[in-house]
Amino acid sequence: MLELKNVSAGYGPLQILWGISLKVDTGEFVSLVGPNGVGKTTCLKTIAGMIKITEGEILFNGIDISNMYVPDITKQGLSFVTEGGCLFAGMTVHENLRLGAYILKDKKQIAELEGFVFSLFPRLAEREKQLAGTLSGGERKMLSIARGLMSAPKILLVDEPSLGLAPNLVDDVFDTLVTLNKEQGLTIFLVEQNVHTTLEITDRTYVIEQGRICLQGKSGDLLNNDHVKSCYLGLT
Amino acid sequence: MDLSATGDILLSGILRGGLFVLIAMGLSLVFGVMNIPNFAHGEFYMLGAYFSYYAYAVFGLNPILAIMAAGAGGFVCGAIMERTAFRSLRVRQKTNWVMNSFLLTVGLSIVLQNSAQALVGTKFMGISQYWQGSVAIMGMNVSIDRLAGFGVAMATVLLFWIFLTKTKTGNSIRAVSEDESGAMLVGINLNRVYTLTFSIACMLAGIAGAALLSINPAYPTMGLAPLYKSWFIVILVGMGNVGGTIIGGFIVGMVEALSYYNLGAGWQDVISLLVIIIILLFKPSGLFGKDVKGVWER
């Protein structure tokens, strides 16, 4: 479904990604893990079109989306949930969700999707009329994922959903992602620092270090990999 | 101050304020959504006045149609300006947008003023009134023209507010002013929203210019006073706060009416500026302002 071929990208003269190649198939739950500042978020931003790529190409369902305008990539069926959420703070939860479905025309489908995300996050239903800026950190995270789902995406890119959340909320968010993947069949590409949990819930994982993919494989296998054990899991 | 004087002041303050709201709203919208401190806003007010003069006095259209024509003319001119001037600037530069776009609007204002002078000359082009007659409200004679102008302003503001809050397109404009990255990620094309926003702002200014034609005749530099007045209001309520301009417009209108009555003509700007300075001393981001720092850093 999503394929990166030898992608290099960065901010102006500062190159961050050095020839990244990876692949996410339909229905898979794939993650990208690695230390701070190695280009995980940059990788997602590049896929979503927010950063120009200098080399290589990105294919989405066979269509070359490299350097396409962000809204056009969204229209292809790709939804990116950023770490900060990029929520419309001065607008209500309901308005945020409706804007999440901006690319959809069918009113009935939009109403159904809203019902679906409310069933997924009952807390949001309670706060429907509240301004997004007044929500708690966990609720904001829920809203950003919910808004990402409102466009009925084929693939959901999620950036660091655990960042800044209390441990019990982190579990909730991961449970939701697993539910979406297993029950709804949604393809998910997750970026995380919380390596242990991520390896437990995902199908496949790429490990990125200094802008290059250094390890890849089934998440279960990586849990027993010596490099992963010593560098990320604190086991020796 | 007796009771009838209070009524007079209240009434004239409300009538003034309503039109201030209409002019300031566009300025606030453009700043909030596009981050442009628009110093050419008054020129669209001037264009509106000319459009309605020609539509009403030369082509003999019905007053309402003339005002609508001025709005449409403002919309089209705004779209052309945005597509040609601002979009080219946006494509070419990434840093210091606020300062550069400010300089661009100052340049546009000079070009528009002088084009108007070259095309139609410096003669005042006014009409005595759209509608004849007057009515007595609270013992004060108010011309129907003033009331109609106020009515047009309020109707426009109301329609615009419904558009912003209830329609999908209006919501997309608000989304862009809240978070540009978020707006792009949900699939909103920023360029289209920018063009629409600027056109609507110019349309609002154009309608204001048209509605006030019988009081302020059209001439090339007429946009300066309403421009400053709009800036007073926008700074008073907080930069880019569109909803706040409704209250701000009426505050400034009321302050002016008060100073007009108590101190005489000529003092109204001094008094309203004084009030604004005092408010800003205690609340630097404006009455309803969020942290303006973020906006300038963008």
Side-chain angles (χ1 to χ4, degrees), chain B residues 150-185:
Chain B
F150 177 76
V152 166
M154 285 299 96
T156 313
V157 167
L158 184 72
L159 281 178
F160 174 62
W161 194 249
I162 292 171
F163 166 74
L164 266 192
T165 50
K166 297 282 179 247
T167 68
K168 187 174 172 182
T169 315
N171 273 330
S172 72
I173 291 179
R174 283 165 67 210
V176 173
S177 87
E178 293 279 345
D179 192 310
E180 288 194 357
S181 302
M184 278 203 291
L185 285 172

Side-chain angles (χ1 to χ4, degrees), chain B:
Chain B
M1 212 187 326
D2 58 54
L3 203 67
S4 79
T6 317
D8 277 9
I9 294 168
L10 209 63
L11 193 62
S12 87
I14 289 173
L15 289 179
R16 269 166 193 273
L19 285 145
F20 289 168
V21 172
L22 185 59
I23 309 170
M25 233 177 181
L27 188 68
S28 181
L29 183 75
V30 163
F31 190 82
V33 176
M34 304 170 75
N35 253 334
I36 298 174
N38 187 5
F39 276 77
H41 195 64
E43 272 52 57
F44 292 95
Y45 173 88
M46 177 265 290
L47 285 177
Y50 274 114
F51 284 139
S52 63
Y53 174 79
Y54 278 99
Y56 179 72
V58 179
F59 295 106
L61 285 182
N62 159 303
I64 292 287
L65 282 179
I67 293 173
M68 280 166 76
F75 189 91
V76 171
C77 291
I80 295 170
M81 295 301 157
E82 207 287 321
R83 282 285 168 97
T84 52
F86 294 102
R87 184 170 295 183
S88 327
L89 179 65
R90 204 158 45 237
V91 169
R92 282 177 181 74
Q93 61 103 48
K94 300 275 173 239
T95 56
N96 229 341
W97 164 257
V98 175
M99 186 47 107
N100 285 330
S101 60
F102 158 69
L103 291 173
L104 182 58
T105 64
V106 173
L108 264 182
S109 137
I110 295 170
V111 169
L112 287 171
Q113 270 177 26
N114 287 285
S115 311
Q117 193 170 333
L119 282 172
V120 293
T122 50
K123 215 169 52 167
F124 285 94
M125 291 183 176
I127 57 169
S128 54
Q129 59 204 1
Y130 282 120
W131 290 278
Q132 284 186 340
S134 61
V135 285
I137 303 173
M138 296 188 290
M140 184 183 164
N141 258 339
V142 186
S143 68
I144 292 187
D145 227 39
R146 279 302 284 277
L147 278 181
F150 177 76
V152 166
M154 285 299 96
T156 313
V157 167
L158 184 72
L159 281 178
F160 174 62
W161 194 249
I162 292 171
F163 166 74
L164 266 192
T165 50
K166 297 282 179 247
T167 68
K168 187 174 172 182
T169 315
N171 273 330
S172 72
I173 291 179
R174 283 165 67 210
V176 173
S177 87
E178 293 279 345
D179 192 310
E180 288 194 357
S181 302
M184 278 203 291
L185 285 172
V186 299
I188 296 169
N189 186 327
L190 293 189
N191 280 332
R192 273 174 54 190
V193 169
Y194 289 148
T195 306
L196 183 67
T197 304
F198 200 81
S199 308
I200 290 175
C202 296
M203 179 181 83
L204 296 178
I207 291 174
L212 282 172
L213 186 62
S214 61
I215 300 159
N216 298 323
Y219 60 98
T221 55
M222 73 184 295
L224 212 57
L227 173 73
Y228 289 157
K229 208 77 65 176
S230 314
W231 272 107
F232 293 175
I233 295 165
V234 168
I235 292 169
L236 172 71
V237 298
M239 307 280 275
N241 187 327
V242 179
T245 52
I246 298 177
I247 298 165
F250 283 113
I251 293 178
V252 173
M254 211 55 88
V255 169
E256 285 205 351
L258 267 172
S259 62
Y260 209 83
Y261 183 85
N262 289 312
L263 298 168
W267 283 93
Q268 67 269 37
D269 282 354
V270 179
I271 303 298
S272 53
L273 274 177
L274 202 66
V275 170
I276 290 167
I277 289 170
I278 291 169
I279 291 176
L280 290 184
L281 276 178
F282 293 101
K283 208 159 177 317
S285 54
L287 281 180
F288 315 104
K290 286 181 260 180
D291 193 2
V292 275
K293 212 171 108 213
V295 171
W296 291 99
E297 279 170 351
R298 269 199 269 171

